[in-house]
């Protein structure tokens, strides 16, 4: 029986991943395990952020931002997809199953992404914090000895530049936008600041990644660099982080909740984004 | 839409055929003029085509891949198009013909020079606090050619498009994003 072009396309699309095949023979077990952890945490970060972004589709405060946040969401899900596919190839799993088939407490996104969408200022503050952190993390991977990752990172960084640029404009707009926007921004930063370094929570296999040259610098070093950058930008906007309203507890990468126990808000989001997958498991279309 | 004439070298015929395959999101431009085709490899009985996605999350990649394979049916018993990130697709890859076609249909072509990605370039400068952000990408008005434009929104109707406004002729326009 001959398949119609449409049928062929669906089969083809699900059978062939968007990442080229790579050779994992040169990676010994501890390195492979550490790399899998790194890929999973990065993919989960992008995936979860993409879904939070998509929560603005249709209800953003202005049409331009509706378009922008929907596009940001699509970018992040695209990045997550490639990272999940790479992970699936590494571990012999299936990218869709990893993305949608895990229980709610199986996700490893950072704490910064464990807060609900909240208001516009909150989403801007969180995205700005995440994007500045992500730029640092991607910088530490661009010369990764694991070539498939270095290649994808080179591409992702060019896209993330637009994200960071966009969020930087919004951060400045809210900071200088009068009493209420400023207050909302500061409230959001106060709430998020303790989790500002959480994208750099230590990885179990970090030593192996550093030894193998897969990760350029230790997470602790990246966290410090991010902290210095974020603090400098905020100080430039007159947002004091020491003694000002924004200092609640100081940011830390470690507090026992690192990439482990999801908050109630994430349970709600997980329920949303896995709903279709759970309704008919194993379905293809 | 026919199999290659034997007098024409197969590789050249494949490139010519690929000029018939268009970007599903911006159909005025072919995958060749868009710079998406990285490489064509021809061996006895087989043809391989490597494609570079314009954006990592581009939903048109699967369509392009199957459209390329469909167009090349009959060129060899074994035809395969694959996606690769071996080098990043950049907006410099769009050919002069591609730029002309974009302009004619009201899309700003991305300026041919590489954007000033100071933050992303390999000198290690991206780790300095004030160098995280690159310079703004340049917009070129498809109507009057002016570069006196402002970026209104880095995000447009598809991942690869941004919205600009031309201060010279006062037209809003979409530009293929400079990356």
């Amino acid at each position: 029986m001959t398949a119609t072009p449409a049928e062929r396309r669906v089969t083809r699309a699900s059978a062939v991943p968007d990442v080229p095949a790579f050779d994992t023979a040169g990676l010994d077990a501890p390195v492979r395990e550490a790399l899998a952890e790194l890929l999973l945490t990065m993919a989960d970060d992008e995936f979860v952020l993409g879904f939070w972004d998509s929560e603005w589709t249709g209800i953003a405060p202005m049409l331009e931002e509706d378009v922008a946040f929907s596009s940001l969401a699509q970018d992040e899900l695209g990045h997550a997809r490639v990272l999940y596919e790479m992970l699936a190839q590494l571990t012999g799993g299936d990218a869709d199953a990893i993305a949608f088939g895990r229980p709610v407490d199986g996700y490893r996104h950072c704490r910064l992404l464990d807060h609900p969408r909240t208001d516009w200022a909150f989403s801007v503050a969180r995205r700005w914090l995440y994007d500045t952190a992500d730029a640092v993390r991607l910088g530490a991977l661009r010369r990764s000895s694991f070539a498939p990752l270095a290649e994808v990172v080179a591409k992702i960084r060019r896209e993330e530049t637009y994200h960071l640029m966009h969020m930087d404009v919004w951060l400045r707009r809210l900071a200088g936008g009068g009493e209420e926007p400023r207050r909302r921004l500061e409230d959001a930063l106060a709430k998020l600041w303790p989790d500002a370094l959480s994208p750099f929570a230590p990885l179990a296999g970090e030593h192996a990644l550093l030894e193998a040259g897969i990760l350029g610098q230790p997470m602790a070093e990246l966290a410090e660099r991010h902290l210095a950058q974020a603090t400098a930008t905020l100080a430039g906007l007159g947002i004091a982080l020491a003694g000002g309203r924004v200092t609640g507890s100081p940011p830390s990468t470690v507090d026992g909740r690192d990439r482990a126990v999801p908050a109630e808000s994430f349970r709600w989001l997980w329920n949303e984004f896995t709903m279709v997958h759970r309704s008919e498991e194993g379905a293809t279309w | 839409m026919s199999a290659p004439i034997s007098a024409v070298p197969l590789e050249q015929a494949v490139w010519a055929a690929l000029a018939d395959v268009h970007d599903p999101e911006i159909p005025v431009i072919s995958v060749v003029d868009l710079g998406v085709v990285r490489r064509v490899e021809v061996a006895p009985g087989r043809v391989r085509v490597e494609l570079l996605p314009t954006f990592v999350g581009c939903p048109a990649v699967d369509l392009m891949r199957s459209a390329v394979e469909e167009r090349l049916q009959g060129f060899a018993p074994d035809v395969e198009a694959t996606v690769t990130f071996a080098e990043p697709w950049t907006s410099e890859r769009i050919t002069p013909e591609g730029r002309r076609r974009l302009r004619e249909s009201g899309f700003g072509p991305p300026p041919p020079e590489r954007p000033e990605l100071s933050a992303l370039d390999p000198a290690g400068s991206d780790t300095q606090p004030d160098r995280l952000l690159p310079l703004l990408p340049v917009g070129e008005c498809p109507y009057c050619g002016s570069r006196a434009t402002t970026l209104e929104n880095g995000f447009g109707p598809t991942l690869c498009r941004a919205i600009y406004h031309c201060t010279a002729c006062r037209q809003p326009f979409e530009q293929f994003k400079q990356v």
Side-chain angles (χ1 to χ4, degrees), chain A residues 9 12 16 20 64 67-68 71-72 74-75 78 82 142-143 151 155 157-159 161-162 168 225 229, chain B residues 53-56 59 65-66 69 83 85 89 114 117 120-122 126-127 132-134 153 155-156 178-179:
Chain A
R9 205 161 280 152
R12 182 84 174 74
V16 182
E64 292 294 294
V67 172
S71 192
L72 286 162
Q74 201 181 354
D75 265 346
V82 168
R142 72 196 156 151
R143 290 200 205 95
E151 287 166 4
K155 184 70 187 140
R157 292 177 88 215
R158 289 174 173 269
E159 299 176 15
T161 297
Y162 278 87
D168 191 71
R225 192 173 294 161
Q229 283 170 350
Chain B
T54 54
F55 277 72
V56 175
R65 191 163 55 184
S66 40
E69 288 181 351
V83 168
F85 290 100
W89 180 91
R114 190 181 281 269
L117 291 179
L120 300 180
D121 275 344
D126 59 336
T127 54
L132 263 182
L133 284 174
N153 193 345
F155 302 91
Q178 199 179 20
V179 291

Side-chain angles (χ1 to χ4, degrees), chain B residues 10 16 36 40 55 68 80 84-85 101 104-105 109 111 118 123 126 141 144 149-150 157 176 178:
Chain B
L10 182 57
V36 159
V40 170
F55 277 72
V68 163
E80 192 183 31
T84 179
F85 290 100
R101 283 173 178 271
E104 273 178 11
S105 24
S118 60
D126 59 336
C141 178
C144 71
T149 60
T150 53
F176 208 105
Q178 199 179 20

Side-chain angles (χ1 to χ4, degrees), chain A residues 21-283:
Chain A
F22 55 80
D23 186 16
T24 56
L27 302 169
D28 62 19
V31 173
R32 190 183 299 223
E33 202 174 303
L35 177 58
E37 183 192 18
L38 174 70
L39 292 174
L40 183 66
T41 53
M42 285 176 68
D44 279 355
D45 282 352
E46 299 278 294
F47 197 59
V48 172
L49 179 61
F51 278 108
W52 283 128
D53 287 343
S54 75
E55 288 296 309
W56 283 110
T57 301
I59 56 165
M62 57 181 82
L63 181 60
E64 292 294 294
E65 286 313 306
D66 213 309
V67 172
F69 263 61
S70 304
S71 192
L72 286 162
Q74 201 181 354
D75 265 346
E76 302 300 13
L77 295 187
H79 300 166
R81 180 182 172 190
V82 168
L83 295 167
Y84 283 137
E85 278 173 352
M86 206 177 277
L87 175 62
Q89 224 184 107
L90 189 69
T91 58
D94 170 72
D96 278 338
I98 299 172
F100 294 107
R102 279 176 289 162
V104 65
D105 52 5
Y107 287 78
R108 304 286 314 279
H109 58 278
C110 60
R111 296 196 308 268
L112 184 62
L113 303 174
D114 236 4
H115 299 265
R117 168 172 55 86
T118 321
D119 63 9
W120 182 249
F122 190 88
S123 287
V124 167
R126 169 168 51 197
R127 224 188 193 290
W128 176 78
L129 281 171
Y130 179 81
D131 284 335
T132 50
D134 195 34
V136 171
R137 178 169 59 185
L138 292 172
L141 292 168
R142 72 196 156 151
R143 290 200 205 95
S144 179
S145 62
F146 184 58
L149 181 59
E151 287 166 4
V152 166
V153 162
K155 184 70 187 140
I156 290 178
R157 292 177 88 215
R158 289 174 173 269
E159 299 176 15
E160 293 289 351
T161 297
Y162 278 87
H163 300 191
L164 189 52
M165 196 163 72
H166 195 69
M167 297 330 292
D168 191 71
V169 166
W170 267 105
L171 182 80
R172 288 167 201 282
R173 191 175 285 164
L174 294 177
E179 195 274 328
E180 190 185 348
R182 173 85 180 196
R183 177 173 48 76
R184 284 178 182 250
L185 178 66
E186 289 189 353
D187 286 350
L189 286 166
K191 202 164 176 188
L192 290 164
W193 192 242
D195 293 340
L197 302 184
S198 63
F200 304 104
L203 298 170
E206 196 173 318
H207 187 66
L209 292 173
L210 291 165
E211 285 266 287
I214 292 175
L215 177 68
Q217 289 92 37
M219 289 292 181
E221 205 176 292
L222 302 178
E224 263 176 49
R225 192 173 294 161
H226 169 53
L227 183 62
Q229 283 170 350
T231 308
T233 303
L234 293 175
L237 296 171
I239 298 175
L241 291 155
R245 304 176 60 218
V246 171
T247 34
S249 39
S252 150
T253 57
V254 186
D255 80 344
R257 293 185 295 131
D258 313 297
R259 297 187 181 276
V261 188
E264 211 41 53
S265 59
F266 177 70
R267 291 179 188 276
W268 175 85
L269 187 74
W270 175 86
N271 195 55
E272 291 283 308
F273 73 68
T274 59
M275 193 179 285
V276 175
H277 182 81
R278 285 181 289 116
S279 69
E280 192 65 56
E281 269 190 58

